[in-house]
Structure formats: C-alpha cells, structure tokens
Amino acid sequence: MTAEANVVVVKMGEDFPLRHIVTHLAQEPAIDLASERALRLADALSLLDSRRDISVALLIGGEAELRPAVEAIRRRRRHIHIVALAIETGTASLSLRDPVSTEIVAVIRALLDQSAAEPKPSHGDEPGKVLRFRAHPHHTAPDLPRLPPIDSDRDDPDLLRTLKGASQWAHAATQVLINLWLGDRDEDEDSSWKAIEKWVSRLSGIADTPTEESDRAFRTLVDALEAAPHTPLARIAGLLGRDELSFKLFLLVLGPDLDIRFHRLFGTLQDDLGRRLPSASLACTILSAATPRATPVEIRSAIAGLDTLRHFRLIEGVGATIARSEDALRIDPYLLDWLLTGNEERLVAAPDVRALLRPRPNDAIRLLPDSRRDEVAAAVRRAVASFGDRAAAVLFTGSQPGWLQAEAGALSTTERRIAPPAAEMPADTLAVALRHILLAVHLSDARLIVDLTDAAQPNAFWTAVEPLFEECAEMPLVLSDDPASLLAATPNERVAIAHVSAPGSHHRREAVEAAIDECAQDRRRVAADIAQCFTLPLTRIPDAVALAHSTAAAHRGAPTRADWFAGFRAVAGARLPRLARRVEPRPCEGGGDYPCLDPVVLPETQRKQLEALLDHVRFGPLVLDEWGFGKLLDARGVTALFSGDSGTGKTMAAFAIASQLDSDLYVIDLARIVSKYIGETEKNLDLIFSDAEQAGAVLLFDEADALFGKRSAVKEANDRYANIEVAYLLQRMEQFDGLAILTTNYPENIDPAFTRRLRFGIDFPRPGASARKKIWEQSIPAGRHREPDLDFTTFARKLDITGGSIRQIAIHAAMAAARDNGRIERRHVVEAARTELIRLGNYGDLAQFASEAA
C-alpha cells in the first residue's frame, strides 16, 4: 500500500504517550514517519526546512505549549497540515485544522486504532486514557472533490510581510492609547466623577506617553518596505512622499481590514461595539499617543494639511473636505483589493473606471516597424524640446487610425489608456473615475494615454481630463485627429503638439510581412500585395492573421496566399457597404500574370490597357511614394472609364479586375444614392467612398452617365443643386486613393471635368466573328453537359451579337437541355438564340438565322 502521509512527530514536555504513538504510527501502512522518534520543536523545524515532502506535523504537549509551536511551524511552512494533540490530566484532546485531508485522516485512523487496542480498565481500576477529538463538524459529503492545494510559489512573501508589519504597528500604536486610557489597572473601575476626572487627567498627558514600542514596530515596517519596494504598501509610502503622518494614518485606517482585533478595540475605545472603523477623532487620538510630543489637536490640524493624502482620496472621508470627528474612516474597496493581492488591475475594477479604460494594442505594437518607431519617437522629442520644461502633455496627431494607437503604445512600456465612455456619464461620476485612474497611473509608474480619435464629442472629455496633466509623473499622450478643435475648447500653453506623417506603403508592407512570417513561400511578395490591396489599421492586422489561420485549418496546412487574402479581406470588409452591393472576388484559373482577365475577350489593345490599369494599382505606392512621382499627380487614386455597347464586357472586366486584385467589388446602387433632399446625395456619396476605403474595395459605378452627366446652365433651383452634386462627386473622387471604375454606353454624356481626370479610358468594341466564337466556347464549354461535335462557327459567323447576349443564349440552352434530361445540343442552342433575338427585337436577323438554322 502506498503511504498517504509523511508525518513528523513533535513533542513538548512529557514523553508519555509519545513512545507508544510513534511505534503505532510506524506500523501504519498509510504513514511514513520522517523520524523514528519524536523530535523537539527546533529539530522538527530544521527537518521541515530540508524535507519538503513532509505533509503533516503531529504536535503533542500541553495546551499552553502547543499554541506557540503551531505558530512557529506555520511561519516556516504555511501550507502544512498540523494535528495538535493537547494533553490534559487524564484526557488527550485532538484539534484538527483540516479534517477532510487524507493525510490527517490517515493519522487519525492510526490513533483511533491504538486507542481501541488498549485494554479496557477493570472495575476499581483508574480510568483509562481517552482521546477526545475537538474538530469543527463537517457537513459536506465525504466523496465531494477536494480543492487543489494552494501553490505556494504564487504567494508573495514580501506582500504578506509588509501587511503583517502594518497590522503590528497599528496594534502597537493603539496599545499606547489603551495603556494610557487604563492607567493603573488595580484601580476600581466605576463611572463616578472622580474616576472620569482621573481618566481625563491621564489623557491630558497624551503628549508625554512613551512610544518606544510603536516606534520600534514602525521602524520594522519601514525596513520591510525598503527591502520590498514593489509591494503595494511601499508604493503607497512612495506616493505620499514618505510623509510619516500620512502613512501612519493610512495604516491605522487599514487595520480593521487586516485584523479582526481592531473591530473590538476601536468599538471599545469609541464606547460602541457596533462602530468597528476608526472615527476621525479616534484616529487623531491614537496617532497623538503614538507620536512623541503631539496632541490630538495638533494631529487633527496636521491631517487637514495633508495635500497628497486628500488629493488622491486614499482614505474615504479625507478628500475635498476633511472628515468630521465622528465620521468613520475607511479604505476604498478597490484600493484595498490591490493592497491585499498586489494585482494592479484591481485598482481599476470599478465599473465607472472600466468604462473609460481601453486595452493596450500589444499585438499591433509588436508589428510596428523599427523605422516607424524611430520616426514617432523623433517627432515627440522635437515637440517636447520646443517647449522645454513647460510641456505637461503631448498632443499626438497626424498618423492614421489604428496606427496612431500602436505608435503611442510604442513610446512607453507601462501605460493606462483611457477614452470617452460609450454612454454619457455625469460630470461628478466622471471626475471620481478619473481620480481613480490618476491614482492607478501613479501607483504603477505608468504613462497616461488619452485616446480621442473615435470620440463622438471629444471636447467634453478633453475638458475633464486636461486638468490632470499637471499631476502626472510621466508626460501624458493625447491621441487626436483634430487637435485644433481640442485646443480651441480648452487652451493650454503647456501642451506640445507632435505631428507625424501618415505611414507609407513600406511601413504597411513591413507590418504585414512581420504578421505573416509563417507564410513559407514568397512572403515578401504576398505582404506587398496585401499591403497594396488593404490599407488596414495596424490594430486590425492581428485579427486578419487569426482569420487566415482559421481558414487554413480547414485544409490542415500552413496559410496559403489565398488564405492570407481571405483573412485580410474579411477584416477590411467587416462593415457591409451601406449603399452598394458587395461582390467577393472569384478564384482565377489560367496562366500568365493576369489569369483573371482571360475570360474577358477583347482585342489586344484593350487587353493591354486593362493590364496597365492593374499595374498602376499594384505598383502605385512604390512609384508614387518611394520613387517620389506622387508630386506629379493631384489625385493618387486610379479612375477608369469603360465605354461601349451593352453586353460588350464592361462589367465583366470590372469583376475580373477586382478578382485579380483579390479585392471586393462594390457595385454602386444609383437609385439609393440620389436623393431629392438637398445634401443627402453628397452624404451618401461620402459613405460609399468611406466604406470602400475601409475595405480596400474596387468601386464600380455602372451606367455612370446618370451620375457623372454634364453640368448644365442654371435655369432653375434644381439645376443649381444638381451641379453642386456633380462638383462634390468630382472632389470626392480626387480624394479616393483606390480604384474606381465607371461604365457607360454613352461616353459623350460624361462631364468633361471627369474625363480630364481619368487615368484610363477603355473602349469595349462589339466582338468580331473570331471573338464571338471564343465567347461561345467559353459560355458552353466542352464536357459532359455539351454534345461533343457541337460547333459554334456558324453561330459566331451568322449572329452579330455581343458577349452578354451569347451568355444569355447559353443559359437558355442549358435550361432546355436540363428539361430534356440530356446534354446541350444544336437544337437547344438554336431555340435559345431565337428567344434571345426576339428579346433584342432583331427580327431581320431572326429570319435569316431561322433559314440558316433550318
């Protein structure tokens, strides 16, 4: 049988009945004895230091001897089980700390077996030795699962040592007042005036009370704090500037939360056992008794001048106004939580405070290129240097959303980041929450970062938080995309403005490359293409990486190029377009550099124009930014006009281009854009362009002449507003950095102002016979759904129709073949062509085709 407990037997006083107990325990299979004999306390403590496997200490001795022995073992091994066997006259009492522990149960079982084995006394003999167990009753079922043991490695001995020192000083200081209060303890206690006079007389000499014991306890605590500056109490002392009176008051108010003894002590001293917290007057009196040559009045006056203590609201009741004499003093519960655990997040756990906090974008900060870090740091240094010692905060602006947040985080290792709450918060509640955050910033040596970039009303929050800047140890950062508005709301001559330029294409490429470092093949090319297609905020790139990995998990492999693009596209287009129809790119089949263009049947000239258009989009950042050609252009975006008859492939080409770029295509719904209300059309256009910029999508304005038509002379009020809409569209197009494609059947109707700003104008001609044959073969490809000997030469030669009509015929023919449960045959195509010609109204061609088909 495997032993359940490793036991050390400790003796105090008489040996009996140790010899018999040790012998019996040694015979118990469930027990391993750490020593063959009972040990003295000092020897047992040394053995506990060297043997970490000992799980139970069995202490045997007198009641008075056991208590200090238990405390000594607890200090040495906090989590060991202790069985204390108190020997009295004729009686042995067993006190259990944890009756359900299997280790202790094994010891108890052995002791019970020994007791049962002893002979029963005969009549007239002295009563035998009785083992009486004094254990708290357990009401839980014995088969319930036990909690795992506490991991001692997680404990902070310094934190516990400093808290214990704080409690000991508070007790010592209170004891000084108690000793003074009681006077000669042999006096008869009564409530006569004579007794009261003696009591008052003793208190009047409070300035002369001996304070050696409390001073010694305080010096011990200070030494412990200096040895452990990371502990919460040490940080509180540092925040208070080592002001002794402030710190002692804080410790005294903390006492009831550390030790229940103070509940009774303070209740008795205040003549009301229900008042377990110290009042302001009692705290001043205790501090006076524990401070040489100090009176309560002097202490009370000095506390009123403790600016730091009052400013940070470390004690509830000592803040903007000083507490009245009878007011109870207490520690804020969230501050207390931090003091007891050392977890800094407990400082900011209040709901109102959490409403202001924002997470630090660690994943995005790690992706920030080193070159960008250097640029940002240099910009901040220049801004601060221009102000000298007058700068109290830095207003950080100029970069792009998502990048600005990560760049601010790169400037500091420890921070507290806040932003305006989502829901409106009363001014007084906001002020209290900001005070809690300011306290957390000081206690954690963190930098305060205020993010106003996405705030609906940033000025109100700026007005509330701006007065705190002067109180921060490290210069705060304020993130804003409209610094002029903030400074106009609350001018502050001590706020430096650091303006950084927007990140360039090489920064985006390096960030994406760092994020997709698992991509095995052509990582730099993939990163460059992704950075070109999707101008994601830096903070969203980690989300895109996670989605790419989830997509790759489906085929149980490393993410491919398609997986990476799918992940980035999903994040970029997370917000659905509000006034457009989104079309996702399709996989491209074919060879060459532009496989997605293969289904688009065009003459060589137009094909080369489409390829050039793709090159302008793909290599635009390189040429315009890094090569410096951007200064030659007013608009960075690429705009193309596709013109030609209906069905010649304009829309199909736009779809192919979007697929080649691995971008979504946003098809604009003109009916939802144009509004009869003044200004609504412009607002709708801005939403469309904003959505496309966010998603890195290609914009398609189909039948663009309805929106981009020529401006007319102003004859009526409606003409004036229509011209304003066209002018606004022209301006917004110039601001758009992506690709916008306009299609029209009537290019002559497009306003000349647009045509001058077009990067490409591509004419889509009607297809010739050879082109039509190719379109026929693409539309009805060879395979099990088509008759093998079906030849499209006659159809291509006799039917002068566009590609759009050919695809319609293919659909009709396929439906007819499905009806007949067979493959597509010539008769199906002939019937479908007749249907399409009737739809087009080409009755002349219909008659000729009917005779040819017959």
Side-chain angles (χ1 to χ4, degrees), residues 426-444:
D428 54 346
T429 304
L430 177 60
V432 172
L434 288 174
R435 284 290 166 187
H436 275 85
I437 291 172
L438 181 64
L439 175 62
V441 166
H442 277 273
L443 291 176
S444 57

Side-chain angles (χ1 to χ4, degrees), residues 699-718:
L699 278 178
L700 173 60
F701 291 88
D702 212 357
E703 306 297 338
D705 48 295
L707 188 61
F708 295 79
K710 294 180 179 179
R711 285 168 284 188
S712 59
V714 177
K715 298 179 180 179
E716 300 178 358
N718 290 340

Side-chain angles (χ1 to χ4, degrees), residues 87-303:
I87 300 176
E88 302 168 357
T89 304
T91 303
S93 299
L94 183 62
S95 299
L96 303 181
R97 178 179 177 86
D98 185 4
V100 294
S101 172
T102 56
E103 296 95 337
I104 297 180
V105 169
V107 177
I108 295 173
R109 185 171 64 244
L111 295 175
L112 287 174
D113 292 343
Q114 175 200 353
S115 177
E118 292 183 357
K120 301 294 186 293
S122 59
H123 182 71
D125 292 341
E126 291 184 4
K129 298 294 183 286
V130 178
L131 291 178
R132 179 181 301 149
F133 295 98
R134 293 203 313 263
H136 295 292
H138 247 310
H139 302 293
T140 55
D143 58 344
L144 288 177
R146 294 184 294 114
L147 293 175
I150 297 176
D151 185 359
S152 59
D153 293 338
R154 297 180 185 175
D155 296 334
D156 186 349
D158 293 331
L159 184 147
L160 298 177
R161 188 180 303 112
T162 55
L163 290 177
K164 184 176 181 181
S167 178
Q168 289 173 342
W169 175 84
H171 184 267
T174 306
Q175 192 63 49
V176 176
L177 177 61
I178 292 174
N179 294 337
L180 178 65
W181 197 299
L182 295 178
D184 187 355
R185 302 186 183 187
D186 294 332
E187 294 179 355
D188 294 332
E189 295 185 3
D190 56 43
S191 57
S192 64
W193 280 110
K194 185 176 181 180
I196 294 175
E197 287 178 356
K198 289 183 179 180
W199 178 79
V200 172
S201 177
R202 288 195 297 269
L203 288 185
S204 64
I206 195 171
D208 300 322
T209 53
T211 61
E212 291 81 4
E213 188 66 28
S214 64
D215 290 344
R216 189 180 304 111
F218 189 73
R219 285 196 297 272
T220 301
L221 173 61
V222 170
D223 292 341
L225 296 178
E226 291 179 348
H230 66 282
T231 57
L233 275 180
R235 296 187 189 181
I236 290 289
L239 177 65
L240 295 173
R242 300 293 181 180
D243 179 75
E244 187 172 309
L245 180 59
S246 298
F247 191 50
K248 284 182 174 179
L249 177 61
F250 183 84
L251 296 176
L252 194 62
V253 177
L254 179 63
D257 290 309
L258 300 180
D259 198 324
I260 196 174
R261 293 177 297 171
F262 292 102
H263 294 181
R264 188 68 177 266
L265 291 175
F266 291 161
T268 302
L269 290 172
Q270 295 175 115
D271 206 18
D272 183 354
L273 291 180
R275 301 176 62 188
R276 300 183 174 189
L277 301 177
S279 64
S281 59
L282 176 60
C284 291
T285 305
I286 294 175
L287 289 174
S288 174
T291 304
R293 298 176 300 279
T295 65
V297 175
E298 292 172 339
I299 296 295
R300 177 81 164 156
S301 177
I303 288 176

Side-chain angles (χ1 to χ4, degrees), residues 660-725:
Q660 185 66 53
L661 295 173
D662 282 304
S663 299
D664 290 337
L665 182 72
Y666 282 8
V667 183
I668 309 305
D669 186 352
L670 297 181
R672 297 174 61 187
I673 292 177
V674 179
S675 173
K676 65 180 180 180
Y677 298 105
I678 297 173
E680 286 298 312
T681 301
E682 291 87 338
K683 186 183 299 183
N684 292 338
L685 287 169
D686 187 64
L687 289 176
I688 288 173
F689 283 103
S690 298
D691 288 347
E693 288 170 342
Q694 172 70 26
V698 176
L699 278 178
L700 173 60
F701 291 88
D702 212 357
E703 306 297 338
D705 48 295
L707 188 61
F708 295 79
K710 294 180 179 179
R711 285 168 284 188
S712 59
V714 177
K715 298 179 180 179
E716 300 178 358
N718 290 340
D719 297 334
R720 177 174 177 270
Y721 291 118
N723 289 343
I724 291 176
E725 292 173 359

